[in-house]
Amino acid sequence: MLEQFVAVMPGTLAPALLVMCLSVMLAVGEGRDKPASAHWRLIGLIVGLIAAIVFASLRASAVINQRTFVNYPVLWCAIIADILAIIVVVFARRITTNWQQHKAIMHIANAIAAIDIALTLFYALPDVILQLTIWVEPGDPIFTSDMLLRALGFALGLAMSIIVAAIFRTLRSTAVRASFTAAVLAVMVILFIQHLTGVMQILQAHGFPMGHTAFVALAWSINHNSWMIMAQAFVFLIPAVASVVAGFRMPLTGANEAIGRKHKAFRRRAVASAVWSLVAMIGVTLTLTVGVAATQQTITLSPPESYSLKDGVATIPFSQVEDGHLHRFEYKAKDGTVMRFIIIKKNGGAYGIGLDACENCGDAGYYEKDGKIICKKCEVAINLATIGFKGGCNPIPFPYKTGNGKITIQTTDLDALSAHFQ
């Protein structure tokens, strides 16, 4: 359950905060006084969610096995949308004030917000949605206590992101607008950096020349992604403090008793919003520190074994892999990619052979523990009988032949799958 919670909450927090921030900054009127484009943000959310579900389904079914082919253009579009959305937030006060006098600008602002929401959800959610595919381990009944705990962890992670965003939203009515705008801008800038990091990762993986400073910045951003997620929560300390200060500056006594009661009510709301916001920040921090530490185990993959490689054929004798344990091998593809593949003798005497990677978790690899083969990333135990078949968290299969006491693999078949390790 904890693994699912820790995986889902960080992946959904940024989209939840983005939706909340843009809805607050562009909120105007009620009922008929609202512009027709106010609903575009909701449409953007729905479109982004549906697209993410479709993309995750295609990845899970191996229809799409190179996610960078889709993510690369999406990230560039998201970066442009982020920049435009930041401009919208900066001028949100002017855009929403007397918006009837400049309806076209209001509609453009809502369109930019809707596009940014859709692209952010499409990029962020597929990895979260793929967590659904590991609720049930291969060969196990559908309804088990483990499955229910994983489902509960998934639901709690999603719920926490929504609740955290809802708590921060309460600050809009007590904080000085400038302080809330500052927090929103900080969230938007961090999201822009995350999207830019994604693009730079793809470019760097494909050999794009990168200077030392750019590479150091990229490494820092990748290694401190959890810090940036926490920062997206802690920036709301700005409006939280502003709320408390505004509340205590209001006089509680005066000639007008009604105004005094109004000021007391405002102070209570301001303090309550600030306290709950602090609780939300602590919750996010604990999830990304204590929660992650509790779920992460330092698993070291066994070193690759030697084998014969001659004339484009890899040869592994049965005697090397007949002990029923996991054996790992390494191969350098024609494009220079270092790949790994695994072999294990199954209970029926057949051999389970596949890449040391899966469609869901990438090239994290597998390890053996207590007689089980386990995915290093998601901790799901793989049914030995299904190794060699497509789907789920199974090792990605490839063609091979057995006979004359040996396993033979054509290196061209491995070369064709090098993208799974890029």
Side-chain angles (χ1 to χ4, degrees), residues 89 140 341 377:
V89 170
D140 285 355
F341 61 93
K377 183 175 181 179

Side-chain angles (χ1 to χ4, degrees), residues 297-310:
Q297 299 178 5
T298 305
I299 302 296
T300 302
L301 299 180
S302 59
E305 302 178 20
S306 60
Y307 61 97
S308 171
L309 182 59
K310 186 178 180 181

Side-chain angles (χ1 to χ4, degrees), residues 234-287:
F234 272 91
V235 294
F236 285 94
L237 272 175
I238 300 171
V241 172
S243 294
V244 175
V245 172
F248 279 91
R249 279 183 174 178
M250 288 186 171
L252 301 182
T253 58
N256 192 323
E257 186 177 345
I259 293 178
R261 290 196 299 268
K262 183 178 180 180
H263 288 179
K264 286 181 180 179
F266 180 90
R267 180 182 293 186
R268 286 195 299 268
R269 292 199 310 274
V271 172
S273 295
V275 170
W276 279 110
S277 295
L278 183 60
V279 170
M281 296 171 203
I282 293 173
V284 171
T285 302
L286 290 177
T287 299

Side-chain angles (χ1 to χ4, degrees), residues 31-318:
R32 295 182 178 180
D33 292 331
K34 294 178 66 173
S37 60
H39 301 291
W40 294 356
R41 297 191 301 272
L42 176 60
I43 294 173
L45 188 152
I46 295 172
V47 170
L49 179 60
I50 293 174
I53 293 172
V54 172
F55 185 37
S57 301
L58 293 176
R59 283 174 53 186
S61 59
V63 174
I64 294 178
N65 55 22
Q66 296 186 36
R67 57 183 177 180
T68 57
F69 177 77
V70 175
N71 283 343
Y72 184 67
V74 168
L75 279 169
W76 274 117
C77 292
I79 287 172
I80 296 172
D82 289 339
I83 295 172
L84 294 175
I86 289 172
I87 295 173
V88 167
V89 170
V90 171
F91 294 99
R93 188 67 174 265
R94 295 183 183 179
I95 293 172
T96 56
T97 302
N98 298 323
W99 66 270
Q100 294 91 343
Q101 299 176 12
H102 45 261
K103 293 182 179 180
I105 296 177
M106 187 73 216
H107 295 332
I108 292 173
N110 278 320
I112 291 172
I115 293 171
D116 200 29
I117 289 171
L119 291 171
T120 298
L121 264 66
F122 179 71
Y123 175 69
L125 294 189
D127 287 339
V128 174
I129 295 169
L130 285 172
Q131 294 292 320
L132 297 171
T133 64
I134 59 175
W135 283 5
V136 181
E137 296 184 6
D140 285 355
I142 296 179
F143 295 104
T144 64
S145 57
D146 287 340
M147 184 278 290
L148 293 175
L149 287 175
R150 292 189 186 104
L152 180 60
F154 185 97
L156 289 176
L158 178 60
M160 181 172 176
S161 293
I162 296 173
I163 291 171
V164 167
I167 289 173
F168 291 153
R169 184 185 175 90
T170 62
L171 294 169
R172 77 194 190 284
S173 61
T174 56
V176 178
R177 183 181 176 92
S179 66
F180 194 89
T181 301
V184 171
L185 284 173
V187 169
M188 300 293 297
V189 170
I190 293 172
L191 183 64
F192 167 79
I193 293 173
Q194 290 173 324
H195 289 159
L196 183 61
T197 299
V199 167
M200 297 305 293
Q201 276 186 279
I202 296 174
L203 291 175
Q204 194 271 337
H206 287 78
F208 183 80
M210 189 176 298
H212 176 72
T213 302
F215 183 80
V216 170
L218 174 61
W220 186 92
S221 181
I222 294 172
N223 294 330
H224 295 83
N225 184 56
S226 293
W227 288 20
M228 287 193 284
I229 296 174
M230 285 188 283
Q232 286 180 313
F234 272 91
V235 294
F236 285 94
L237 272 175
I238 300 171
V241 172
S243 294
V244 175
V245 172
F248 279 91
R249 279 183 174 178
M250 288 186 171
L252 301 182
T253 58
N256 192 323
E257 186 177 345
I259 293 178
R261 290 196 299 268
K262 183 178 180 180
H263 288 179
K264 286 181 180 179
F266 180 90
R267 180 182 293 186
R268 286 195 299 268
R269 292 199 310 274
V271 172
S273 295
V275 170
W276 279 110
S277 295
L278 183 60
V279 170
M281 296 171 203
I282 293 173
V284 171
T285 302
L286 290 177
T287 299
L288 294 172
T289 54
V290 178
V292 171
T295 57
Q296 285 186 343
Q297 299 178 5
T298 305
I299 302 296
T300 302
L301 299 180
S302 59
E305 302 178 20
S306 60
Y307 61 97
S308 171
L309 182 59
K310 186 178 180 181
D311 297 329
V313 179
T315 304
I316 299 98
F318 287 164

Side-chain angles (χ1 to χ4, degrees), residues 297 299-302 305 321 323-328 342-345 347 356 365-376 379-382 384 387:
Q297 299 178 5
I299 302 296
T300 302
L301 299 180
S302 59
E305 302 178 20
V321 293
D323 57 4
H325 292 293
L326 178 70
H327 296 266
R328 196 182 325 275
I342 58 174
I343 300 177
I344 185 170
K345 188 174 183 179
N347 295 331
D356 195 22
Y366 303 86
Y367 66 95
E368 184 177 355
K369 181 180 179 182
D370 299 329
K372 296 181 178 180
I373 305 302
I374 301 173
C375 174
K376 182 180 177 182
E379 297 294 321
V380 163
I382 309 302
L384 286 181
I387 295 179

